[in-house]
Amino acid sequence: MQKQVFPIIGDEKDLPFYIVGIGVECWQYPVNRTDGYEYPQILVTNEGEGEITVNGVTVKLPENSVFYIPPHLPHEYHSLSDSWIVSWVCFSGSEALPLLEKWELNKYAYFLSTDAERMKRIISKAYYTIKSDKIYGNHYASAQLYDLLIEYRKIAENRQSELTSVSTAALADVLQYIEKNYSGQIKLGDMAQTAGITEQHLCRLFKKNFQMRPMEYLAKVRIQHAKEMLVYSEKNISEIAKATGFPDNSYFSALFKKYEGITPGEYRGVK
């Protein structure tokens, strides 16, 4: 059964951003829209491979591909593998297209990005938010849609464009390693070994691309996951600290306040 929903739109039309349709890990059937689609779309490949044709140009879309299709742009896409699993969202709102225009991102584009996992999680959360509350779900999901647009902007700006291909691969390996293992005890040497480079070289890559050292990046990833747990889980703060790789609750709370300006308990209260 496909996990997708097209919510009934009521006063959501007054929101700056709202979701028109959304799907999570859907088997993607062939699509051929000669007149385009009424709403802008963001799609992310979960697994398998597909290809898309726009303006006579065909490109392949392997796992972790992210692609944006603006409204009314003719396009066609289909699977190249036995199954092509995609998460997607169609959206609208008074500020949706103006914001993308301001960012110069309201144009067809596709990317292969290690940051796609974050977009998949946001789409999934928005889907279940809408499914769990038939009346106000899409109102709550409006904020998650805005988060998704920000993540798309980060990918589209491609902050790693100046790296050499070797350094790009090394950095991508480390980012994936951090995302998969942030809950455990990760050392700088573990990251360097994953990338196949020295610790010094790894520090230079992070400094150049993220303006921070690898361990600081790891801390921020952990804080981001902790924020999600504070909002979407019933774990207590000590459990969240342990689940996100912090050695003790005191250190977690101090670091959280350093980056967010408030304690984990205060963050949970305002969210």
Side-chain angles (χ1 to χ4, degrees):
M1 182 177 178
Q2 297 278 68
K3 291 190 290 186
Q4 59 185 26
V5 62
F6 295 88
I8 297 174
I9 307 300
D11 58 3
E12 291 95 332
K13 288 185 177 181
D14 297 328
L15 295 172
F17 313 95
Y18 64 88
I19 291 173
V20 176
I22 188 169
V24 176
E25 297 179 359
C26 297
W27 183 87
Q28 184 57 60
Y29 57 86
V31 168
N32 185 4
R33 298 187 176 112
T34 56
D35 296 319
Y37 189 58
E38 181 179 359
Y39 301 104
Q41 310 166 70
I42 292 177
L43 304 94
V44 186
T45 297
N46 290 78
E47 62 180 78
E49 184 177 42
E51 69 176 14
I52 183 169
T53 301
V54 174
N55 295 328
V57 178
T58 300
V59 296
K60 294 183 179 180
L61 300 167
E63 184 177 347
N64 288 328
S65 296
V66 176
F67 54 113
Y68 171 75
I69 308 173
H72 308 298
L73 176 70
H75 59 272
E76 184 271 332
Y77 52 81
H78 61 268
S79 173
L80 291 177
S81 53
D82 291 338
S83 63
W84 184 29
I85 308 301
V86 173
S87 293
W88 56 271
V89 61
C90 304
F91 56 94
S92 188
S94 59
E95 297 299 321
L97 288 180
L99 184 64
L100 290 171
E101 291 284 359
K102 181 179 179 180
W103 291 343
E104 298 182 352
L105 292 177
N106 188 32
K107 55 189 176 184
Y108 164 64
Y110 55 90
F111 310 93
L112 181 61
S113 174
T114 56
D115 291 330
E117 288 297 328
R118 167 75 175 154
M119 296 190 70
K120 295 174 193 176
R121 289 199 300 271
I122 296 174
I123 293 173
S124 180
K125 285 183 173 62
Y127 168 81
Y128 286 108
T129 296
I130 292 173
K131 289 284 288 184
S132 64
D133 188 334
K134 295 292 191 281
I135 298 176
Y136 295 109
N138 207 5
H139 291 75
Y140 290 121
S142 173
Q144 293 160 342
L145 173 59
Y146 181 64
D147 287 345
L148 184 72
L149 295 178
I150 292 174
E151 287 299 318
Y152 176 72
R153 181 188 184 187
K154 287 165 59 179
I155 290 175
E157 288 181 345
N158 193 10
R159 299 189 185 278
Q160 302 177 36
S161 62
E162 295 180 359
L163 292 171
T164 64
S165 59
V166 173
S167 295
T168 300
L171 194 57
D173 288 343
V174 175
L175 298 184
Q176 286 185 322
Y177 176 80
I178 290 173
E179 188 61 37
K180 291 180 180 179
N181 299 281
Y182 67 88
S183 61
Q185 297 305 306
I186 300 176
K187 298 179 180 179
L188 181 61
D190 299 328
M191 298 187 214
Q193 184 176 5
T194 297
I197 57 179
T198 66
E199 294 181 12
Q200 292 77 12
H201 188 188
L202 181 64
C203 289
R204 286 195 296 270
L205 286 181
F206 269 81
K207 193 69 174 177
K208 178 179 180 180
N209 290 276
F210 304 114
Q211 294 76 53
M212 67 184 78
R213 294 177 64 82
M215 297 307 291
E216 183 180 359
Y217 181 92
L218 170 61
K220 289 191 174 185
V221 169
R222 286 171 167 164
I223 292 295
Q224 185 61 44
H225 282 282
K227 287 165 62 178
E228 293 176 3
M229 291 184 190
L230 285 167
V231 175
Y232 298 109
S233 82
E234 297 181 356
K235 295 179 183 290
N236 62 42
I237 292 174
S238 294
E239 290 172 331
I240 291 174
K242 183 177 180 181
T244 49
F246 291 99
D248 59 71
N249 188 31
S250 297
Y251 179 66
F252 166 58
S253 296
L255 200 63
F256 191 98
K257 188 169 184 178
K258 174 185 175 182
Y259 288 127
E260 300 299 323
I262 56 176
T263 67
E266 290 170 337
Y267 183 86
R268 171 169 271 174
V270 299
K271 294 296 181 178

